[in-house]
């Protein structure tokens, strides 16, 4: 079942309404958190690459879990989805001449729902892996590794994955971080990590804040954001600056939808060549994860 579109931001871009779906109730108006997309030119060639049903609908829906700032999260109004992925979605839509909706969804089932046709794709800081490529094609647009986040002050002295042995660690389910924790278990011998998985990143994060878990594993950009943002830095810090298992992050599209995949990749290439991609990364402090070029299914 599709998630309801419980609030939307409409952005004018080259005469095209770009929609970012938001949670909560009511309709939010575009504000300072919206990207400046007016300078992005529509590419008729890329628009014509889109599947006919997408052109007929005039838009696509991409699943996201908006609890992962600065990639995707709710704005202060609790409804509008903001972040790098939200800005990227708007920019891709401007190039392709369609509406792009980010729909709040369950991260763990987003790929399955995309394969079923509930969504057109997933744009939710999802790492491109060989296992996930069995379910979807990935348009790789970013690079990040995993970091360990602990309570401010690091009361348990966590500095490495090995320090998590015998400890309760929170993590969002169906993530590469959950997989990393499970693969780390043999190194703990008779004192395994107590892995607690949660439906959303926000739920897992609460465990660390309240002391019910000693750490959470995140992609490095959201981890660094937690440690530095004024709203969260009094609660969290990085255990270290180590990034474990760096990988590519991709926009996932159903494997039976190559026309949409190729059109969105072409739009991403336009953004990279034009410099808009770099501008959006700079806006959210994410230039360390920049890619020089897009790729398809290049994850390990």
């Amino acid at each position: 079942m599709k998630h309801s579109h419980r609030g939307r931001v409409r952005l004018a871009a080259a005469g095209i309404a770009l929609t970012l779906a938001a949670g909560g109730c009511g309709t939010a108006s575009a504000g300072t958190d919206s990207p400046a997309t007016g300078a992005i030119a529509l590419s008729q060639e890329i628009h014509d690459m889109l599947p006919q049903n997408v052109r007929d609908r005039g838009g696509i829906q991409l699943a996201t879990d908006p609890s992962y700032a600065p990639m995707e999260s709710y704005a202060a109004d609790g409804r509008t989805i903001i972040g790098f992925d939200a800005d990227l979605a708007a920019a891709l839509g401007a190039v392709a001449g369609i509406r792009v909706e980010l729909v709040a969804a369950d991260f763990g089932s987003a790929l399955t729902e995309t394969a079923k046709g509930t969504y057109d794709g997933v744009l939710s800081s999802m790492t491109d892996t060989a296992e996930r490529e069995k379910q979807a094609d990935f348009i790789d647009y970013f690079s990040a590794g995993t970091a360990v986040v602990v309570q401010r002050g690091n009361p348990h002295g966590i500095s490495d994955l090995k320090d998590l042995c015998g400890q309760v660690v929170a993590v969002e389910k169906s993530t590469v971080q959950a997989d990393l924790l499970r693969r780390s278990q043999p190194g703990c011998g008779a004192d395994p990590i107590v892995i607690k998985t949660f439906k959303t990143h926000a739920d897992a994060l609460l465990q660390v804040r309240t002391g019910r878990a000693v750490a959470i594993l995140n992609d490095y950009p959201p981890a660094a954001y937690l440690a530095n943002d004024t709203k969260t830095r009094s609660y969290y810090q990085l255990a270290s600056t180590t990034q474990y298992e760096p990988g590519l992050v991709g926009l996932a599209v159903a494997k039976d939808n190559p026309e949409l995949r190729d059109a969105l990749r072409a739009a991403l290439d336009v953004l990279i060549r034009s410099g808009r991609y770099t501008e959006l990364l700079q806006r959210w402090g994410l230039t360390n994860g920049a890619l020089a070029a897009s790729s398809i299914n290049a994850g390990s």
Side-chain angles (χ1 to χ4, degrees):
M1 184 177 72
K2 292 192 179 214
H3 286 64
S4 60
H5 314 315
R6 297 165 292 174
R8 296 176 179 174
V9 178
R10 297 196 179 274
L11 306 172
I16 301 160
L18 307 178
T19 308
L20 301 183
C25 303
T27 301
S29 58
T32 56
D33 285 320
S34 301
T37 56
I40 301 177
L42 163 67
S43 168
Q44 188 63 47
E45 179 182 0
I46 292 175
H47 182 77
D48 292 344
M49 292 172 63
L50 291 163
Q52 186 63 53
N53 67 332
V54 170
R55 283 180 278 162
D56 291 344
R57 280 186 278 142
I60 58 174
Q61 296 179 327
L62 303 178
T64 198
D65 172 15
S67 64
Y68 218 48
M71 301 300 284
E72 54 271 320
S73 64
Y74 286 122
D77 63 9
R79 302 173 302 185
T80 309
I81 298 176
I82 62 171
F84 173 72
D85 281 347
D87 284 3
L88 182 65
L92 290 170
V95 173
I98 55 171
R99 297 186 310 274
V100 177
E101 290 183 316
L102 289 188
V103 183
D106 177 7
F107 184 89
S109 63
L111 284 181
T112 300
E113 293 300 316
T114 295
K116 290 165 55 177
T118 305
Y119 311 115
D120 294 291
V122 182
L123 185 57
S124 192
S125 308
M126 184 171 280
T127 302
D128 176 1
T129 67
E131 188 64 27
R132 286 173 174 165
E133 286 173 12
K134 296 175 182 177
Q135 299 184 72
D137 286 336
F138 283 78
I139 306 160
D140 300 318
Y141 66 92
F142 192 70
S143 176
T146 289
V148 179
V149 176
V150 298
Q151 279 188 324
R152 175 60 61 180
N154 197 5
H156 298 276
I158 306 297
S159 62
D160 191 81
L161 282 176
K162 67 180 186 302
D163 297 328
L164 301 179
C165 295
Q167 304 284 1
V168 176
V169 180
V171 68
E172 186 175 3
K173 70 176 183 179
S174 302
T175 60
V176 295
Q177 285 77 30
D179 293 339
L180 174 58
L181 285 173
R182 284 189 284 269
R183 289 197 306 274
S184 300
Q185 291 285 37
C188 292
D191 198 20
I193 303 167
V194 181
I195 304 170
K196 301 289 188 180
T197 61
F198 297 87
K199 183 176 181 180
T200 71
H201 174 253
D203 291 339
L205 198 60
L206 181 62
Q207 303 298 304
V208 178
R209 179 170 174 174
T210 57
R212 286 174 281 181
V214 304
I216 182 174
L217 267 60
N218 285 356
D219 287 326
Y220 184 81
Y225 183 89
L226 286 168
N228 292 293
D229 184 71
T230 55
K231 298 186 294 295
T232 54
R233 66 188 182 194
S234 61
Y235 305 111
Y236 309 106
Q237 72 180 62
L238 294 175
S240 72
T241 58
T242 301
Q243 292 194 50
Y244 300 93
E245 300 185 350
L248 294 173
V249 173
L251 191 169
V253 177
K255 295 193 80 68
D256 62 357
N257 205 349
E259 290 177 310
L260 179 60
R261 177 200 66 201
D262 292 345
L264 291 175
R265 184 193 182 179
L268 175 60
D269 287 340
V270 168
L271 297 175
I272 292 173
R273 290 195 303 269
S274 70
R276 179 50 59 94
Y277 167 78
T278 300
E279 291 173 5
L280 297 181
L281 289 171
Q282 290 172 339
R283 182 173 191 263
W284 294 100
L286 296 169
T287 53
N288 286 345
L291 299 181
S294 69
S295 55
I296 299 291
N297 294 337
S300 57

